[in-house]
Amino acid sequence: MLDSVKIARRQSEIRQTLSGIVGKENPSEDETRQMDELDREYRSNETRYRAALIAEDEERREAGAELETRSESEWSDLVDQFELRQIAFALDEGKALDGATKEVVEELRSAGGYQGIPVPYGALETRAGETVSGTDLPNPKVIRPVVDRLFPNSVAARLGVQSIQIAQGEVGFPVATAGAVFGWQTDELSDVGAASAYTTSETSLSPDQTGGAQMVITRKALKQSGAGLEQAIRRDLNAVIGTEIDRVVVNGSGASGEPLGIVPGAATYGITSTAIGAVADWAAFRAEVVAFMEANAIASASAVNLAFTPAIWSDLDEALISGTAVSEWDRLTRHIANPAISNVIPAASAIMSANVQGIAPGYLGLYGGVDLIRDPYTKAGSGALVLTGLVTADFTVPRGLQTRILTGLAAA
């Protein structure tokens, strides 16, 4: 109990006692002496009470500052301790969840919308050795791009796509399309320019696309040690979900339940696509960098993210500048560090993007966690357990000028 509360209660007791004594017409000597003692104690307590309030106010401020960041850090700590093997045994044998795993599942369930057992995306991070992660793992704060954290080699992450964790509903991204106009007076009495309305356009993420990752856990795997099963589940779910998220961000058709990706949605998102029709070289990419600069999107080539296929990397590395040992790849990486190389990018194509004024070139919305549903019947004959992990996600590009596509980069 706080000292101020204890003192306040004692003051109340003193007042109550004094009121009883003061009401007597002829108090005894003992009662008179008691009034003097209680009066001195009351005055002393007033000083103590003010001092206690000052001390406790400082403690409250420190506690408040801690509470502002505690929820995010506590959540990440719980997710670090999340055990997927508990989920497998709960689905297979009905074993009760406990510890941090139980807390995380209950927290996700409070948002609703799960038929099976919810699993946070952070729990799919591949961990080395221990079932319960150590302090050397990333400790995400507030909203960290989930693509970066779950799938470090993700092409979407390398292109600057930001992932947002959404509990429910839609998330909109208003982007300014017109605003202030600067003008000069033509004479002393004229206006400085015509007024222009500040307008925005909006793109949004909605929970309309749901996909499923299915995996089979054999009876042998279920009977193995916890760490072995833990890593097996992580690897399977991590690989299949990460690969598919990358694919739909770049190549999602926008039909058959898929989000609309960067390449098929270029016209919809207002992304410029340029047909090169020649072997890839630094000059082709440099022209697009210049276009970014002329659109006031970037100030230097190092601000550009770039991704293309292994075949294009081979062409760039093989093409030597006449009379030198310097390749086109060397020229490119001198200006654009660490381009992403992946077969997710369409053949003979490249994607360039930039983060402009804090706005990512694309937003990937991941709704809730992975909804893990048990199917003990499909493989009942072999004693295996079939798990289906449902993932609800959407993708959008808020501003097309932050992305450019090159096509027709012919093979050497």
Side-chain angles (χ1 to χ4, degrees), residues 186-255:
T186 56
D187 56 61
E188 285 186 83
L189 300 178
S190 64
D191 292 336
V192 295
S196 175
Y198 184 85
T199 59
T200 62
S201 62
E202 182 175 298
T203 59
S204 61
L205 296 170
S206 59
D208 297 329
Q209 292 85 23
T210 296
Q214 288 194 323
M215 63 183 299
V216 177
I217 304 178
T218 65
R219 183 173 179 80
K220 178 181 178 181
L222 288 169
K223 304 305 177 185
Q224 283 178 330
S225 63
L229 179 60
E230 183 91 2
Q231 294 302 326
I233 295 175
R234 290 184 197 283
R235 283 193 300 269
D236 275 359
L237 288 178
N238 187 8
V240 71
I241 294 176
T243 300
E244 183 58 17
I245 285 178
D246 250 7
R247 189 191 70 79
V248 296
V249 165
V250 176
N251 297 312
S253 65

Side-chain angles (χ1 to χ4, degrees), residues 120-126 145-152 238 241 366:
Y121 287 96
L124 301 185
E125 179 184 3
T126 303
V146 177
V147 172
D148 290 347
R149 181 157 48 94
L150 296 183
F151 317 112
N238 187 8
I241 294 176
L366 296 173

Side-chain angles (χ1 to χ4, degrees), residues 59-395:
E59 292 176 2
R60 288 190 185 97
R61 290 181 182 178
E62 293 177 357
E66 179 186 354
L67 287 172
E68 288 178 0
T69 57
R70 182 183 296 172
S71 59
E72 291 86 358
S73 61
E74 285 185 351
W75 175 254
S76 62
D77 289 341
L78 286 174
V79 172
D80 281 347
Q81 300 174 56
F82 192 91
E83 297 180 346
L84 278 171
R85 75 169 186 272
Q86 283 198 42
I87 304 300
F89 285 125
L91 292 171
D92 183 53
E93 304 171 358
K95 185 177 179 180
L97 303 176
D98 58 31
T101 304
K102 180 180 179 181
E103 291 186 49
V104 171
V105 169
E106 289 177 350
E107 181 70 21
L108 290 173
R109 278 197 187 284
S110 66
Y114 298 97
Q115 298 179 39
I117 299 179
V119 176
Y121 287 96
L124 301 185
E125 179 184 3
T126 303
R127 302 171 183 171
E130 299 289 336
T131 297
V132 179
S133 63
T135 57
D136 58 331
L137 290 175
N139 184 22
K141 297 179 180 179
V142 194
I143 297 179
R144 176 174 175 171
V146 177
V147 172
D148 290 347
R149 181 157 48 94
L150 296 183
F151 317 112
N153 298 319
S154 165
V155 173
R158 301 275 291 279
L159 284 173
V161 172
Q162 182 178 349
S163 181
I164 300 176
Q165 195 74 37
I166 305 171
Q168 56 193 9
E170 293 192 12
V171 176
F173 300 93
V175 178
T177 55
V181 175
F182 192 95
W184 294 97
Q185 284 183 316
T186 56
D187 56 61
E188 285 186 83
L189 300 178
S190 64
D191 292 336
V192 295
S196 175
Y198 184 85
T199 59
T200 62
S201 62
E202 182 175 298
T203 59
S204 61
L205 296 170
S206 59
D208 297 329
Q209 292 85 23
T210 296
Q214 288 194 323
M215 63 183 299
V216 177
I217 304 178
T218 65
R219 183 173 179 80
K220 178 181 178 181
L222 288 169
K223 304 305 177 185
Q224 283 178 330
S225 63
L229 179 60
E230 183 91 2
Q231 294 302 326
I233 295 175
R234 290 184 197 283
R235 283 193 300 269
D236 275 359
L237 288 178
N238 187 8
V240 71
I241 294 176
T243 300
E244 183 58 17
I245 285 178
D246 250 7
R247 189 191 70 79
V248 296
V249 165
V250 176
N251 297 312
S253 65
S256 302
E258 295 181 2
L260 183 60
I262 293 173
V263 175
T268 301
Y269 295 135
I271 297 173
T272 300
S273 181
T274 304
I276 302 300
V279 177
D281 58 11
W282 163 238
F285 296 107
R286 183 177 58 202
E288 299 303 311
V289 171
V290 170
F292 271 122
M293 291 178 174
E294 291 176 343
N296 295 322
I298 60 172
S300 68
S302 61
V304 171
N305 306 305
L306 174 60
F308 44 66
T309 65
I312 292 177
W313 168 81
S314 177
D315 292 341
L316 291 168
D317 190 58
E318 184 179 12
L320 297 178
I321 300 173
S322 179
T324 72
V326 178
S327 67
E328 292 290 342
W329 172 254
D330 296 329
R331 295 181 68 191
L332 184 146
T333 54
R334 191 179 305 159
H335 301 281
I336 302 175
N338 198 25
I341 302 172
S342 173
N343 282 323
V344 171
I345 308 299
S349 299
I351 298 176
M352 304 176 72
S353 65
N355 186 302
V356 180
Q357 298 173 335
I359 298 178
Y363 288 98
L364 171 68
L366 296 173
Y367 285 80
V370 179
D371 192 357
L372 205 57
I373 300 175
R374 170 195 185 196
D375 176 9
Y377 306 110
T378 302
K379 298 289 184 180
S382 63
L385 175 67
V386 179
L387 298 179
T388 299
L390 297 180
V391 174
T392 299
D394 194 15
F395 175 76

